[in-house]
Amino acid sequence: MRLQKIIVSLLRAMLFWTLAFFMFAFIKYNGLEEELKIYTDETLYLPILEYYQFSILLGIFIGLFYAVIELLFDTFLGKRMVLGLNILIKSVIYFLLIIVLLSIFSVFIEYQIDIDLPNENGWWYKDAFFWSTVLYFIIASTAFSLLKITNDKFGSGVFINMLLGTYKKPKEETRILMFLDLKDSTSIAEELGHKKYSQFIQDCFRDLNSVLKKHEAEVYQYVGDEAVLSWTTKKGFRKNNAVNLFFAFSATLSKHKNNYKQQYGKIPEFKAGVHCGKLMIAEVGTVKKELAYHGDVINTAARIQSLCNTYKASLLVSQALLERSLITLDYKAALLGDLDLKGKTNKLKIYSITKM
């Protein structure tokens, strides 16, 4: 999964920068050849198509190095370095990268056309083309970073829907909801203290984030030590994602149990309640815009999760979810009975799910 994430990041960066520098060549050179012929006796060093080819190659190389640098910083320095210093160091690296790549490309072009170009040592210092490239890189890099931050903030599916205005008007959908809560959270918080407990929750949700994409889940919201996850029915029932995610998350926590034990003296365990049904989704707010879910399915999923302590269960699901899933192929489903849920007039069949 880690390798897949790295490959996706590399391809995304390379695609973005390839398109970005192709647009740069298009803006700078498109139509220039004809204008030079009309108003002067000068011509471009190369045919316009070759400028496009070189811009695509430049974009691929910059995208490759850009992705590697971002990955290294996120992996090894992201949590230790303050944001301002992080940006400053990366800016210096990118600046040097542009000098090196443009110098190499100018030598290559010089060899291709057999014309002496101004690329001697320090050529970039007074070169207008270099500084226009740097300015364009800064603008494109800012746009790329903002897209990444926005995508991380809302989640890829949510961001695209907000971009397209899918939920400008309230829309009814059938969704799967999972309420995921830390077991014994009160006693752990008292023992660790609020500062260390906050770091503990951060690490737990970081492990949760590592399994979200594989199981096609969206984060609806984080509330204290609780996470509310959401799926469309298509994604949630496909490959049994809605149930598999819980056990994948538990396995990830277990894999890192020595780290948790060493750092916090506690090994986290989570409990969850899952339900599906119709709800309304709408964009709310103007200052801090987000998607809001409205409907009985939300309260029901929360009530199901609250029964985990009563029945000493880790995962409880409703009959509505069980009937449409493939739980019985990999897991054992035990009926707890027709249970009364707080605030509900009708009883609901609830099942405890365990691994076979």
Side-chain angles (χ1 to χ4, degrees), residues 203-249:
D203 287 341
C204 290
F205 287 157
R206 191 174 290 112
D207 281 336
L208 174 62
N209 290 339
S210 71
V211 301
L212 289 177
K213 192 167 186 179
K214 181 180 179 181
H215 297 89
E216 303 182 90
E218 299 172 13
V219 177
Y220 170 47
Q221 57 185 199
Y222 296 106
V223 184
D225 49 38
E226 182 178 70
V228 184
L229 309 181
S230 168
W231 292 263
T232 61
T233 50
K234 181 181 177 181
K235 291 180 178 180
F237 290 124
R238 180 165 56 202
K239 299 180 183 177
N240 208 18
N241 279 325
V243 172
N244 286 340
L245 178 139
F246 177 79
F247 291 100
F249 176 43

Side-chain angles (χ1 to χ4, degrees), residues 100-331:
V100 171
L101 286 178
L102 287 180
S103 297
I104 292 171
F105 269 75
S106 67
V107 170
F108 182 69
I109 293 172
E110 192 175 57
Y111 175 78
Q112 288 285 98
I113 61 178
D114 196 27
I115 294 177
D116 186 29
L117 297 177
N119 55 6
E120 63 280 354
N121 289 339
W123 68 271
W124 53 271
Y125 184 70
K126 294 182 179 180
D127 189 273
F129 174 77
F130 171 79
W131 289 108
S132 64
T133 305
V134 169
L135 178 61
Y136 183 80
F137 178 86
I138 292 170
I139 295 170
S141 181
T142 302
F144 186 84
S145 298
L146 288 174
L147 285 171
K148 185 176 182 297
I149 291 168
T150 306
N151 192 56
D152 290 343
K153 164 68 178 171
F154 294 110
S156 57
V158 177
F159 173 59
I160 292 170
N161 282 326
M162 294 188 78
L163 200 64
L164 297 175
T166 305
Y167 302 110
K168 274 287 184 184
K169 292 182 179 179
K171 183 180 178 183
E172 185 181 68
E173 286 187 5
T174 302
R175 284 255 170 177
I176 300 170
L177 285 180
M178 173 185 284
F179 277 72
L180 191 66
D181 192 33
L182 177 67
K183 287 184 179 180
D184 304 318
S185 56
T186 304
S187 60
I188 294 174
E190 288 177 353
E191 189 172 333
L192 294 181
H194 65 275
K195 183 177 180 179
K196 204 161 189 178
Y197 180 69
S198 181
Q199 294 170 340
F200 179 73
I201 293 298
Q202 265 189 325
D203 287 341
C204 290
F205 287 157
R206 191 174 290 112
D207 281 336
L208 174 62
N209 290 339
S210 71
V211 301
L212 289 177
K213 192 167 186 179
K214 181 180 179 181
H215 297 89
E216 303 182 90
E218 299 172 13
V219 177
Y220 170 47
Q221 57 185 199
Y222 296 106
V223 184
D225 49 38
E226 182 178 70
V228 184
L229 309 181
S230 168
W231 292 263
T232 61
T233 50
K234 181 181 177 181
K235 291 180 178 180
F237 290 124
R238 180 165 56 202
K239 299 180 183 177
N240 208 18
N241 279 325
V243 172
N244 286 340
L245 178 139
F246 177 79
F247 291 100
F249 176 43
S250 298
T252 303
L253 293 175
S254 180
K255 182 181 176 182
H256 299 155
K257 65 182 179 181
N258 291 335
N259 294 337
Y260 282 105
K261 191 71 176 175
Q262 183 178 359
Q263 192 166 352
Y264 304 105
K266 293 287 180 182
I267 299 172
E269 291 183 59
F270 278 75
K271 55 191 178 182
V274 191
H275 183 48
C276 67
K278 290 183 178 180
L279 47 72
M280 300 300 296
I281 307 179
E283 285 187 24
V284 295
T286 52
V287 175
K288 188 179 181 295
K289 186 176 289 187
E290 61 182 27
L291 293 184
Y293 294 177
H294 306 118
D296 181 65
V297 64
I298 303 168
N299 296 326
T300 302
R303 299 286 184 263
I304 292 172
Q305 187 271 120
S306 69
L307 293 173
C308 286
N309 287 341
T310 305
Y311 292 93
K312 294 181 172 55
S314 293
L315 178 61
L316 297 179
V317 305
S318 66
Q319 185 179 27
L321 184 107
L322 185 67
E323 286 176 344
R324 299 182 60 182
S325 64
L326 301 174
I327 286 175
T328 52
L329 294 179
D330 299 307
Y331 307 104

